[in-house]
Amino acid sequence: MNNKVYFTPGPSELYPTVPQHMQEAMAQKIGSISHRSKQFQEIYASVESSVRELLQLPDEYEVFFVSSATEIWERAIQNNVRRESFHLVNGSFSKRFYETAKELGREAHAHEVPFGQGFDVASISVPETAELVALIQNETSSGACMPVGELNQFREKAPAEALIYVDAVSSLPYPAIDFAKVDAVYFSVQKCFGLPAGLGVWLVNDRCMAKAREMQDEGLSIGSYHTLPSLLDKALVSQTVETPNVLNIYLLGKVVQDMNQKGVDAIRKETEAKAEQIYTFLEGSSIFSPAVANPQHRSRTTIVANTTIPASEVNKLLAPFDMQVGSGYGKYKESQIRIANFPAHSPEQVESLIEKLKSISA
Amino acid sequence: MNNKVYFTPGPSELYPTVPQHMQEAMAQKIGSISHRSKQFQEIYASVESSVRELLQLPDEYEVFFVSSATEIWERAIQNNVRRESFHLVNGSFSKRFYETAKELGREAHAHEVPFGQGFDVASISVPETAELVALIQNETSSGACMPVGELNQFREKAPAEALIYVDAVSSLPYPAIDFAKVDAVYFSVQKCFGLPAGLGVWLVNDRCMAKAREMQDEGLSIGSYHTLPSLLDKALVSQTVETPNVLNIYLLGKVVQDMNQKGVDAIRKETEAKAEQIYTFLEGSSIFSPAVANPQHRSRTTIVANTTIPASEVNKLLAPFDMQVGSGYGKYKESQIRIANFPAHSPEQVESLIEKLKSISA
């Protein structure tokens, strides 16, 4: 039996109801049902409707299930960029999206600020030729975030035809995205949804769909099985193109129903309260300090701290208490820790973590 | 509680040990561990080694985990075909691989025989310009198979540089593939491995790796995160590029260990014995008959029968006995049934199914 509480930034602690939903899934033999059966279609339709409710998703958006957010980077470029994309970069994951565009032969431009910084949106000018503008709502590697108010400014800054993409991989459902101001938003289930990994969710509006169809009509290759039109064809009958991760789709539906029952507002308030406690501790600590200087740009869900004792040592000290935080990302592996503050982490668990981190500092 | 036994051709019945492995996975919190942790690396290394043992995979082969066999079709074309591929087509899935090549802008040629037929290998000539030869060891839609002896003839028939791909999605570990005679083999875990869907396994040799590197060096785009070189970079440290379906990788390792304990020879013999019983029944039935005429080309793992009563009716009659077979594929939905004969299906379950199908016919 493993009693550790995972504060790692995803995969992370499972949402508390997941073990019972998994038991029910096994009892109902969800792993055996056909992805072309009516039973699967009903599960799919129910998950989609729950996700729409939780995120207050407008009707012009589609909900597509793919294998990971990494896949979404590739599909986004293939389906929505003929020639040129523009990326805000302030960490490893926003950089990876930018590099993906280049690997796929596109002309990609980046507005890059140092790791761990937010953006001065007023100073950013989007090229007139940019077809896709990649915003990073929450940079999982550095703990920097873009408040929704900053995201919302890009519709006016960007060319009228440009599609605005929002990486909310490790923050949704926390940020109350204004879906009318953007065109696509995506997330991974192993972050704030507290599920095992293996599923990415891609929310795209009618403008993204239209662009993919235009490119296809022009004879451009937009991929094979996971083109936006193929995804839509199957989504319209509550199915996927390939045999998907049925079990995770089922579990996502159950967890989102639980979240709807709790209410997204309650989840958001609790996330903010826990984040405030963590940042207050970090600011008063002699060992840890918030890695993101500007409080406005500090993520509420993936909290990154500089540490004067190596991250591996921090985890060694936490181990006897059955707790684990994330190490820093890449070259910050030992000099930073990352603390996931997801809906799965209860206020009591967060308090307990803070207490133990305090005892380390003492 | 669902007590149905699924004879559907995948997703299908879970391998009998899966529920207990899943329980252990939840107790060990496998859904929470980082895909960059030492614990994950140990799981990965152990799965890879178990798969190598089960399939007697030569050292020049790599084992890559991706999201589905559908994804493998796309990655195969992107990584191993500059211009032209050649496909043996005798059903819906072999046709889909052929269409994938065209969707990705390649010149694809097909040698096509009617649905449900095997191939007359002697009469097939492979174009001198073919870079990839797609063989279909087991066509899940039609129940036609290619015996290993037929696969083995293509090394000599094909141009020396051509890469020979084998679709064994719904048959491995049953066929004793001669890996020296081919270059890549792939399967899905929700078929003969009796796992929940959401993982495809791609076995590729050094010739496939070299071709991908050549294409990359020439400046051709071979994709982004799932190029063969990227997959290898991470596989060498027992990791994946993206956050993968960790839970399924863990479960695959457990099931393959169980299979190794039973022994692949025992599994193959049991598969043959069960298949023989099913075909003997079909040949004597007044309602059902084997859909594949030539006994040499009849799949041992996905058995397809013509039925004079609609497939949906067959399943209605089986429902009170807690059993379900697959319906026919595509336009054969009602005129054929498909019976999965996977390692998860015990001889007793197969006997029981035959008995019930007999009672329907009576």
Coordinates of all heavy atoms in Angstrom, one line a residue, chain A residues 1-2 4 6 8 11-14 18-19 22 26-29 31-33 35 67-68 70-71 74-75 78 96 100 103-104 190 196-198 221 223-225 242-245 247, chain B residues 1-2 4 6 8 11-14 18-19 22 26-29 31-33 35 67-68 70-71 74-75 78 96 100 103-104 190 196-198 221 223-225 242-245 247:
Chain A
M1 N 0.9 -1.2 0.0 CA 0.0 0.0 0.0 C 0.9 1.2 0.0 O 1.8 1.3 0.8 CB -0.9 0.0 1.3 CG -2.0 1.0 1.2 SD -3.3 0.5 0.1 CE -4.4 1.9 0.2
N2 N 0.6 2.2 -0.9 CA 1.3 3.4 -1.0 C 0.5 4.5 -0.5 O -0.6 4.8 -1.0 CB 1.7 3.6 -2.5 CG 2.4 4.9 -2.7 OD1 2.6 5.7 -1.8 ND2 2.8 5.2 -3.9
K4 N 1.5 7.7 0.0 CA 2.1 9.0 -0.3 C 1.0 9.9 -0.9 O 0.2 9.5 -1.7 CB 3.2 8.8 -1.3 CG 4.2 9.9 -1.4 CD 5.2 9.7 -2.4 CE 6.4 8.9 -1.8 NZ 7.5 8.7 -2.8
Y6 N 0.8 12.9 -3.5 CA 1.6 13.4 -4.5 C 1.3 14.9 -4.8 O 0.2 15.2 -5.3 CB 1.4 12.6 -5.8 CG 2.1 11.2 -5.7 CD1 1.5 10.2 -5.1 CD2 3.4 11.0 -6.2 CE1 2.1 8.9 -5.0 CE2 4.0 9.8 -6.2 CZ 3.3 8.7 -5.5 OH 3.9 7.5 -5.4
T8 N 3.2 16.4 -7.0 CA 3.9 16.6 -8.2 C 2.9 17.2 -9.3 O 1.7 17.0 -9.2 CB 4.4 15.2 -8.7 OG1 3.3 14.3 -8.5 CG2 5.5 14.7 -7.8
P11 N 1.7 13.6 -13.9 CA 0.7 12.9 -13.0 C 0.9 13.4 -11.6 O 1.9 13.7 -11.1 CB 1.1 11.5 -13.2 CG 1.7 11.4 -14.5 CD 2.4 12.7 -14.7
S12 N -0.3 13.3 -10.9 CA -0.3 13.9 -9.5 C -1.4 13.0 -8.7 O -1.7 11.9 -9.1 CB -0.7 15.3 -9.6 OG -0.6 15.9 -8.3
E13 N -1.7 13.6 -7.6 CA -2.7 12.9 -6.8 C -4.0 12.7 -7.6 O -4.4 13.6 -8.3 CB -3.0 13.9 -5.6 CG -3.7 13.3 -4.4 CD -2.9 12.1 -3.7 OE1 -1.7 12.0 -4.0 OE2 -3.5 11.4 -3.0
L14 N -4.6 11.5 -7.5 CA -5.8 11.3 -8.2 C -7.0 12.0 -7.4 O -6.9 12.1 -6.2 CB -6.1 9.8 -8.3 CG -5.1 8.9 -9.1 CD1 -5.6 7.5 -9.3 CD2 -4.9 9.5 -10.5
V18 N -11.7 8.9 -7.6 CA -11.2 8.0 -8.7 C -11.2 6.5 -8.3 O -11.6 5.7 -9.1 CB -9.9 8.5 -9.3 CG1 -9.3 7.5 -10.2 CG2 -10.1 9.8 -10.1
P19 N -10.6 6.2 -7.1 CA -10.5 4.8 -6.8 C -11.9 4.1 -6.9 O -12.1 3.0 -7.4 CB -9.9 4.7 -5.4 CG -9.1 6.0 -5.4 CD -9.8 7.0 -6.2
M22 N -13.0 3.8 -10.4 CA -12.3 2.7 -11.1 C -12.8 1.3 -10.7 O -13.0 0.5 -11.6 CB -10.8 2.8 -10.7 CG -9.9 1.8 -11.4 SD -9.8 2.1 -13.2 CE -8.3 3.1 -13.2
M26 N -14.5 -1.4 -13.3 CA -14.1 -2.8 -13.5 C -15.3 -3.7 -13.3 O -15.5 -4.6 -14.0 CB -13.0 -3.1 -12.4 CG -11.6 -2.4 -12.6 SD -10.9 -2.5 -14.3 CE -10.4 -4.2 -14.3
A27 N -16.1 -3.3 -12.3 CA -17.4 -4.1 -12.1 C -18.3 -4.1 -13.3 O -18.9 -5.1 -13.7 CB -18.1 -3.6 -10.8
Q28 N -18.3 -2.9 -14.0 CA -19.2 -2.8 -15.2 C -18.5 -3.2 -16.4 O -19.0 -3.1 -17.5 CB -19.6 -1.3 -15.3 CG -20.6 -0.9 -14.2 CD -21.8 -1.7 -14.1 OE1 -22.3 -2.2 -15.1 NE2 -22.3 -1.9 -12.8
K29 N -17.2 -3.6 -16.3 CA -16.4 -4.1 -17.5 C -16.3 -3.1 -18.6 O -16.4 -3.4 -19.8 CB -16.9 -5.4 -18.0 CG -16.9 -6.5 -16.9 CD -17.3 -7.9 -17.5 CE -16.2 -8.6 -18.2 NZ -16.4 -10.1 -18.4
G31 N -13.7 -1.6 -19.5 CA -12.5 -1.9 -20.4 C -12.8 -2.9 -21.5 O -12.0 -3.1 -22.4
S32 N -14.0 -3.5 -21.5 CA -14.3 -4.5 -22.5 C -15.3 -4.1 -23.5 O -15.5 -4.7 -24.6 CB -14.9 -5.8 -21.8 OG -13.9 -6.4 -21.0
I33 N -16.0 -2.9 -23.3 CA -17.0 -2.5 -24.2 C -16.5 -2.0 -25.5 O -15.4 -1.4 -25.5 CB -18.0 -1.5 -23.6 CG1 -17.3 -0.2 -23.3 CG2 -18.6 -2.0 -22.3 CD1 -18.3 1.0 -22.9
H35 N -15.9 0.4 -28.6 CA -15.9 1.9 -28.8 C -16.9 2.2 -29.9 O -17.1 3.4 -30.3 CB -14.5 2.4 -29.2 CG -13.9 1.7 -30.4 ND1 -13.7 0.4 -30.4 CD2 -13.6 2.2 -31.6 CE1 -13.2 0.1 -31.6 NE2 -13.1 1.1 -32.3
S67 N -4.8 11.8 -27.5 CA -4.0 11.1 -26.5 C -3.2 11.9 -25.5 O -2.9 11.4 -24.5 CB -3.0 10.1 -27.3 OG -2.2 10.8 -28.1
S68 N -2.9 13.1 -25.9 CA -2.1 14.0 -24.9 C -2.1 15.4 -25.4 O -2.4 15.7 -26.6 CB -0.6 13.5 -24.9 OG 0.0 13.6 -26.2
T70 N 0.6 17.0 -25.9 CA 1.7 17.0 -26.8 C 1.2 16.7 -28.2 O 1.6 17.3 -29.2 CB 2.7 15.9 -26.4 OG1 3.2 16.1 -25.1 CG2 3.9 15.9 -27.3
E71 N 0.2 15.8 -28.3 CA -0.4 15.5 -29.6 C -1.1 16.7 -30.1 O -1.1 17.1 -31.3 CB -1.4 14.3 -29.6 CG -2.0 14.1 -30.9 CD -3.0 12.9 -31.0 OE1 -3.2 12.2 -30.0 OE2 -3.5 12.7 -32.1
E74 N 0.9 19.2 -32.1 CA 1.1 18.7 -33.5 C -0.1 18.9 -34.4 O 0.0 19.5 -35.5 CB 1.6 17.3 -33.5 CG 1.9 16.8 -34.9 CD 2.4 15.3 -34.9 OE1 3.6 15.1 -34.6 OE2 1.7 14.4 -35.1
R75 N -1.3 18.5 -33.8 CA -2.5 18.6 -34.6 C -2.9 20.0 -34.9 O -3.4 20.4 -35.9 CB -3.6 17.9 -33.9 CG -3.4 16.4 -33.5 CD -3.0 15.6 -34.7 NE -2.7 14.2 -34.3 CZ -2.1 13.4 -35.1 NH1 -1.7 13.7 -36.4 NH2 -1.8 12.1 -34.8
Q78 N -0.7 21.2 -37.8 CA -1.1 20.6 -39.0 C -2.5 21.1 -39.5 O -2.6 21.2 -40.7 CB -1.3 19.1 -38.8 CG 0.0 18.3 -38.6 CD -0.2 16.9 -38.2 OE1 -1.1 16.5 -37.6 NE2 0.8 16.0 -38.6
R96 N 8.2 24.2 -26.4 CA 8.0 23.0 -27.1 C 7.0 23.1 -28.2 O 7.1 22.6 -29.3 CB 7.7 21.9 -26.1 CG 7.7 20.5 -26.7 CD 9.1 19.9 -27.0 NE 9.0 18.7 -27.8 CZ 9.1 18.7 -29.1 NH1 9.4 19.8 -29.8 NH2 9.0 17.6 -29.8
T100 N 7.6 22.6 -32.1 CA 6.8 21.6 -32.9 C 6.4 22.3 -34.2 O 6.5 21.6 -35.3 CB 5.5 21.3 -32.1 OG1 5.9 20.7 -30.9 CG2 4.6 20.4 -32.9
E103 N 9.4 22.0 -36.4 CA 9.6 20.6 -36.8 C 8.7 20.2 -38.0 O 9.0 19.4 -38.8 CB 9.5 19.7 -35.7 CG 10.6 19.6 -34.7 CD 10.4 18.9 -33.4 OE1 9.2 18.4 -33.2 OE2 11.2 18.9 -32.5
L104 N 7.5 20.9 -38.0 CA 6.5 20.5 -39.0 C 6.7 21.5 -40.2 O 5.8 21.6 -41.0 CB 5.1 20.6 -38.4 CG 4.8 19.5 -37.3 CD1 3.5 19.7 -36.6 CD2 4.9 18.1 -37.9
Q190 N -4.3 14.5 -16.5 CA -3.5 14.1 -15.3 C -3.1 15.2 -14.5 O -2.3 15.1 -13.6 CB -2.3 13.2 -15.7 CG -1.2 14.0 -16.3 CD -1.3 14.2 -17.8 OE1 -2.4 14.1 -18.4 NE2 -0.2 14.6 -18.5
P196 N -5.5 9.3 -14.1 CA -4.3 8.7 -14.7 C -4.1 9.4 -16.1 O -5.0 9.8 -16.7 CB -4.7 7.2 -14.9 CG -5.8 7.0 -13.9 CD -6.6 8.3 -13.9
A197 N -2.8 9.4 -16.5 CA -2.5 10.1 -17.8 C -2.9 9.2 -19.0 O -3.2 8.1 -18.8 CB -1.0 10.3 -17.8
G198 N -3.0 9.9 -20.1 CA -3.3 9.2 -21.3 C -4.5 9.7 -22.1 O -5.1 9.1 -22.9
S221 N -2.0 18.7 -46.9 CA -2.2 17.6 -46.0 C -2.3 18.1 -44.6 O -1.5 18.9 -44.1 CB -1.0 16.7 -46.1 OG -1.1 15.7 -45.0
G223 N -3.0 15.9 -42.1 CA -2.8 14.7 -41.2 C -3.7 13.6 -41.8 O -4.2 13.6 -42.9
S224 N -3.8 12.6 -40.9 CA -4.7 11.4 -41.4 C -5.9 11.2 -40.5 O -6.9 11.8 -40.7 CB -3.8 10.2 -41.5 OG -3.3 9.7 -40.3
Y225 N -5.7 10.5 -39.4 CA -6.9 10.1 -38.6 C -7.3 11.2 -37.7 O -8.5 11.4 -37.4 CB -6.7 8.8 -37.8 CG -5.7 8.9 -36.7 CD1 -6.0 8.8 -35.4 CD2 -4.3 9.1 -37.0 CE1 -5.1 8.8 -34.4 CE2 -3.4 9.2 -36.0 CZ -3.8 9.0 -34.7 OH -2.9 9.1 -33.6
E242 N -10.2 6.5 -33.8 CA -9.5 5.3 -33.4 C -10.1 4.7 -32.2 O -11.0 5.3 -31.5 CB -8.0 5.6 -33.2 CG -7.7 6.2 -31.8 CD -8.3 7.6 -31.5 OE1 -9.0 8.1 -32.4 OE2 -8.0 8.1 -30.4
T243 N -9.7 3.5 -31.8 CA -10.1 2.9 -30.5 C -9.4 3.8 -29.4 O -8.2 3.8 -29.3 CB -9.6 1.5 -30.3 OG1 -10.0 0.8 -31.5 CG2 -10.4 0.8 -29.1
P244 N -10.2 4.5 -28.6 CA -9.5 5.5 -27.7 C -9.3 4.9 -26.3 O -9.5 3.7 -26.1 CB -10.6 6.6 -27.6 CG -11.9 5.8 -27.6 CD -11.6 4.6 -28.5
N245 N -8.8 5.7 -25.4 CA -8.6 5.3 -24.0 C -10.0 5.4 -23.3 O -10.3 6.3 -22.6 CB -7.6 6.3 -23.4 CG -7.2 5.9 -22.0 OD1 -7.9 5.1 -21.3 ND2 -6.1 6.4 -21.6
L247 N -11.4 3.8 -20.9 CA -11.5 3.8 -19.5 C -11.3 5.3 -18.9 O -12.0 5.7 -18.0 CB -10.4 2.9 -18.9 CG -10.5 2.5 -17.5 CD1 -11.8 1.8 -17.1 CD2 -9.3 1.5 -17.2
Chain B
M1 N -23.2 -4.9 -11.3 CA -22.2 -5.9 -11.7 C -22.5 -6.5 -13.1 O -23.6 -6.8 -13.4 CB -22.2 -7.1 -10.7 CG -21.0 -8.0 -10.8 SD -19.4 -7.2 -10.2 CE -18.2 -8.5 -10.6
N2 N -21.5 -6.4 -14.0 CA -21.7 -6.9 -15.3 C -21.0 -8.2 -15.4 O -19.8 -8.3 -15.3 CB -21.1 -5.8 -16.3 CG -21.2 -6.3 -17.7 OD1 -21.6 -7.4 -18.1 ND2 -20.7 -5.4 -18.6
K4 N -21.1 -10.2 -18.1 CA -21.1 -10.6 -19.5 C -19.7 -11.1 -19.9 O -18.7 -10.5 -19.5 CB -21.5 -9.5 -20.4 CG -21.9 -9.8 -21.8 CD -22.2 -8.6 -22.6 CE -23.7 -8.2 -22.4 NZ -24.0 -7.1 -23.3
Y6 N -17.2 -11.1 -23.0 CA -17.1 -10.4 -24.3 C -16.3 -11.2 -25.3 O -15.1 -11.3 -25.1 CB -16.5 -9.0 -24.1 CG -17.5 -8.0 -23.4 CD1 -17.6 -8.0 -22.0 CD2 -18.3 -7.1 -24.1 CE1 -18.5 -7.1 -21.4 CE2 -19.2 -6.3 -23.5 CZ -19.3 -6.3 -22.1 OH -20.2 -5.4 -21.5
T8 N -16.2 -10.0 -28.3 CA -16.0 -8.9 -29.3 C -14.5 -8.8 -29.7 O -13.7 -9.1 -28.8 CB -16.6 -7.6 -28.7 OG1 -16.1 -7.5 -27.4 CG2 -18.1 -7.6 -28.7
P11 N -12.1 -3.6 -28.2 CA -12.0 -4.1 -26.9 C -12.7 -5.4 -26.6 O -13.8 -5.6 -27.3 CB -12.5 -2.9 -26.0 CG -12.4 -1.7 -26.8 CD -12.5 -2.2 -28.3
S12 N -12.2 -6.2 -25.7 CA -12.8 -7.5 -25.5 C -12.6 -7.9 -24.1 O -12.4 -7.0 -23.2 CB -12.0 -8.5 -26.4 OG -12.6 -9.8 -26.4
E13 N -12.8 -9.2 -23.8 CA -12.6 -9.7 -22.4 C -11.2 -9.3 -21.9 O -10.3 -9.4 -22.6 CB -12.8 -11.2 -22.5 CG -13.1 -11.9 -21.2 CD -14.4 -11.4 -20.5 OE1 -15.2 -10.8 -21.2 OE2 -14.5 -11.7 -19.3
L14 N -11.2 -8.8 -20.7 CA -9.9 -8.5 -20.1 C -9.2 -9.8 -19.7 O -9.9 -10.8 -19.3 CB -10.0 -7.6 -18.9 CG -10.6 -6.2 -19.1 CD1 -10.5 -5.3 -17.9 CD2 -9.9 -5.5 -20.3
V18 N -6.3 -9.1 -15.0 CA -6.3 -7.6 -15.0 C -7.0 -7.0 -13.8 O -6.4 -6.1 -13.2 CB -6.8 -7.1 -16.3 CG1 -7.1 -5.6 -16.3 CG2 -5.9 -7.4 -17.5
P19 N -8.1 -7.5 -13.4 CA -8.8 -6.8 -12.2 C -7.9 -6.8 -11.0 O -7.8 -5.7 -10.3 CB -10.0 -7.7 -12.0 CG -10.4 -8.2 -13.3 CD -9.0 -8.5 -14.0
M22 N -5.1 -4.3 -11.6 CA -5.6 -2.9 -11.5 C -5.8 -2.5 -10.0 O -5.5 -1.4 -9.6 CB -7.0 -2.8 -12.2 CG -7.6 -1.4 -12.2 SD -6.6 -0.3 -13.2 CE -7.5 -0.4 -14.8
M26 N -3.9 0.6 -8.2 CA -4.5 1.7 -7.4 C -3.9 1.8 -6.0 O -3.6 2.8 -5.5 CB -6.1 1.5 -7.3 CG -6.8 1.5 -8.7 SD -6.5 3.0 -9.7 CE -7.4 4.2 -8.7
A27 N -3.7 0.6 -5.4 CA -3.1 0.6 -4.1 C -1.7 1.2 -4.1 O -1.2 1.9 -3.2 CB -3.0 -0.9 -3.5
Q28 N -0.9 0.9 -5.2 CA 0.4 1.5 -5.3 C 0.4 2.9 -5.9 O 1.5 3.4 -6.2 CB 1.3 0.5 -6.2 CG 1.5 -0.8 -5.6 CD 2.2 -0.7 -4.2 OE1 3.0 0.2 -4.0 NE2 1.9 -1.7 -3.3
K29 N -0.7 3.4 -6.2 CA -0.9 4.8 -6.8 C -0.1 5.0 -8.1 O 0.6 6.0 -8.3 CB -0.5 5.8 -5.7 CG -1.5 5.7 -4.5 CD -1.2 6.9 -3.5 CE -1.9 8.1 -3.9 NZ -2.0 9.1 -2.8
G31 N -1.2 5.6 -10.9 CA -1.8 6.7 -11.7 C -1.2 8.0 -11.2 O -1.4 9.0 -11.9
S32 N -0.5 8.1 -10.2 CA 0.1 9.3 -9.6 C 1.6 9.5 -9.9 O 2.1 10.6 -9.7 CB -0.2 9.5 -8.1 OG -1.6 9.5 -7.9
I33 N 2.3 8.5 -10.2 CA 3.7 8.6 -10.3 C 4.1 9.4 -11.6 O 3.5 9.3 -12.6 CB 4.4 7.2 -10.3 CG1 4.1 6.4 -11.6 CG2 4.1 6.4 -9.0 CD1 5.0 5.2 -11.7
H35 N 6.1 10.3 -14.9 CA 6.6 9.6 -16.0 C 8.1 9.9 -16.2 O 8.8 9.4 -17.1 CB 5.9 9.9 -17.3 CG 5.8 11.4 -17.6 ND1 5.3 12.3 -16.8 CD2 6.3 12.1 -18.7 CE1 5.4 13.5 -17.3 NE2 6.1 13.4 -18.5
S67 N -0.1 5.7 -28.9 CA -1.4 5.7 -28.4 C -2.4 4.6 -29.0 O -3.4 4.2 -28.4 CB -2.0 7.1 -28.5 OG -2.1 7.5 -29.8
S68 N -2.1 4.2 -30.2 CA -3.0 3.2 -30.9 C -2.3 2.7 -32.2 O -1.3 3.3 -32.6 CB -4.3 3.9 -31.3 OG -4.0 4.9 -32.3
T70 N -3.7 2.8 -35.0 CA -4.1 3.9 -35.9 C -3.0 4.9 -36.0 O -2.6 5.4 -37.1 CB -5.4 4.5 -35.5 OG1 -6.4 3.5 -35.4 CG2 -5.9 5.6 -36.5
E71 N -2.5 5.3 -34.8 CA -1.3 6.2 -34.8 C -0.1 5.6 -35.5 O 0.6 6.3 -36.3 CB -0.9 6.6 -33.4 CG 0.2 7.6 -33.4 CD 0.7 8.1 -32.1 OE1 0.2 7.7 -31.0 OE2 1.7 8.9 -32.1
E74 N 0.1 6.2 -39.2 CA 0.5 7.5 -39.6 C 2.0 7.7 -39.4 O 2.7 8.2 -40.3 CB -0.3 8.6 -38.8 CG 0.1 10.0 -39.2 CD -0.8 11.0 -38.4 OE1 -1.9 11.3 -38.8 OE2 -0.3 11.5 -37.4
R75 N 2.5 7.2 -38.3 CA 3.9 7.4 -38.0 C 4.8 6.6 -38.9 O 5.9 7.0 -39.3 CB 4.2 7.0 -36.5 CG 3.4 7.7 -35.5 CD 3.6 9.2 -35.5 NE 2.7 9.8 -34.5 CZ 2.4 11.1 -34.6 NH1 2.8 11.9 -35.6 NH2 1.6 11.6 -33.7
Q78 N 5.0 8.6 -42.2 CA 5.8 9.8 -42.0 C 7.3 9.5 -41.8 O 8.1 10.2 -42.3 CB 5.4 10.5 -40.7 CG 4.0 11.2 -40.8 CD 3.6 11.8 -39.4 OE1 3.9 11.3 -38.4 NE2 2.8 12.9 -39.5
R96 N -7.4 0.9 -44.6 CA -7.2 2.2 -43.9 C -5.7 2.6 -43.9 O -5.4 3.8 -44.0 CB -7.8 2.0 -42.5 CG -7.9 3.3 -41.7 CD -9.0 4.2 -42.2 NE -8.9 5.6 -41.6 CZ -8.2 6.6 -42.2 NH1 -7.7 6.5 -43.4 NH2 -8.1 7.8 -41.6
T100 N -4.3 6.0 -45.4 CA -3.5 6.9 -44.6 C -2.3 7.4 -45.4 O -1.9 8.6 -45.3 CB -3.0 6.1 -43.3 OG1 -4.1 5.8 -42.6 CG2 -2.1 7.0 -42.5
E103 N -3.5 10.0 -47.7 CA -3.8 11.3 -47.0 C -2.6 12.0 -46.6 O -2.6 13.3 -46.5 CB -4.6 10.9 -45.7 CG -6.1 10.6 -46.0 CD -6.8 9.9 -44.7 OE1 -6.1 9.8 -43.7 OE2 -7.9 9.6 -44.9
L104 N -1.5 11.3 -46.4 CA -0.2 12.0 -46.1 C 0.6 12.4 -47.3 O 1.7 12.7 -47.3 CB 0.6 11.1 -45.1 CG -0.1 10.9 -43.8 CD1 0.7 9.9 -42.9 CD2 -0.2 12.2 -43.0
Q190 N -5.7 -3.9 -26.6 CA -7.0 -4.3 -26.3 C -7.5 -5.5 -27.1 O -8.7 -5.9 -27.0 CB -8.0 -3.1 -26.5 CG -8.4 -2.8 -27.9 CD -7.4 -1.9 -28.7 OE1 -6.3 -1.7 -28.2 NE2 -7.7 -1.4 -29.8
P196 N -7.5 -2.8 -21.2 CA -8.3 -1.7 -21.7 C -7.6 -1.0 -22.9 O -6.3 -1.1 -22.9 CB -8.3 -0.8 -20.5 CG -8.0 -1.6 -19.3 CD -7.1 -2.7 -19.8
A197 N -8.3 -0.4 -23.8 CA -7.7 0.2 -24.9 C -6.9 1.5 -24.6 O -7.1 2.0 -23.5 CB -8.8 0.6 -25.9
G198 N -6.1 2.0 -25.5 CA -5.4 3.2 -25.3 C -3.8 3.1 -25.4 O -3.1 3.9 -24.9
S221 N 10.3 16.5 -43.3 CA 9.6 16.5 -42.0 C 9.1 15.0 -41.7 O 8.4 14.5 -42.5 CB 8.4 17.4 -42.0 OG 7.7 17.2 -40.8
G223 N 7.6 14.4 -38.8 CA 6.7 14.6 -37.6 C 7.3 15.4 -36.5 O 8.4 16.1 -36.8
S224 N 6.7 15.4 -35.4 CA 7.3 16.2 -34.3 C 7.7 15.3 -33.1 O 8.8 14.8 -33.1 CB 6.3 17.3 -33.9 OG 5.1 16.8 -33.3
Y225 N 6.8 15.0 -32.2 CA 7.2 14.3 -31.0 C 7.3 12.8 -31.2 O 8.2 12.2 -30.5 CB 6.2 14.6 -29.8 CG 4.8 14.0 -30.0 CD1 4.3 13.0 -29.1 CD2 3.9 14.4 -31.0 CE1 3.1 12.5 -29.3 CE2 2.7 13.9 -31.1 CZ 2.2 12.9 -30.3 OH 1.0 12.4 -30.4
E242 N 6.1 12.0 -24.6 CA 5.0 12.7 -23.9 C 4.6 12.0 -22.6 O 5.2 10.9 -22.3 CB 3.8 12.7 -24.9 CG 2.9 11.5 -24.9 CD 3.7 10.3 -25.5 OE1 4.9 10.3 -25.8 OE2 3.0 9.2 -25.6
T243 N 3.7 12.5 -21.8 CA 3.2 11.8 -20.7 C 2.3 10.7 -21.3 O 1.3 11.0 -21.9 CB 2.3 12.7 -19.8 OG1 3.0 13.9 -19.6 CG2 2.1 12.0 -18.4
P244 N 2.7 9.4 -21.1 CA 2.0 8.4 -21.7 C 0.8 7.8 -20.9 O 0.6 8.3 -19.8 CB 3.1 7.3 -21.9 CG 3.9 7.4 -20.6 CD 3.8 8.9 -20.3
N245 N 0.2 6.8 -21.4 CA -0.8 6.0 -20.6 C -0.1 5.1 -19.6 O 0.1 3.9 -19.9 CB -1.6 5.2 -21.6 CG -2.8 4.6 -21.0 OD1 -2.9 4.3 -19.8 ND2 -3.8 4.2 -21.8
L247 N -0.7 3.9 -16.7 CA -1.4 2.8 -16.1 C -1.5 1.6 -17.1 O -1.3 0.4 -16.7 CB -2.8 3.2 -15.8 CG -3.7 2.4 -14.9 CD1 -3.0 2.2 -13.5 CD2 -5.0 3.1 -14.7

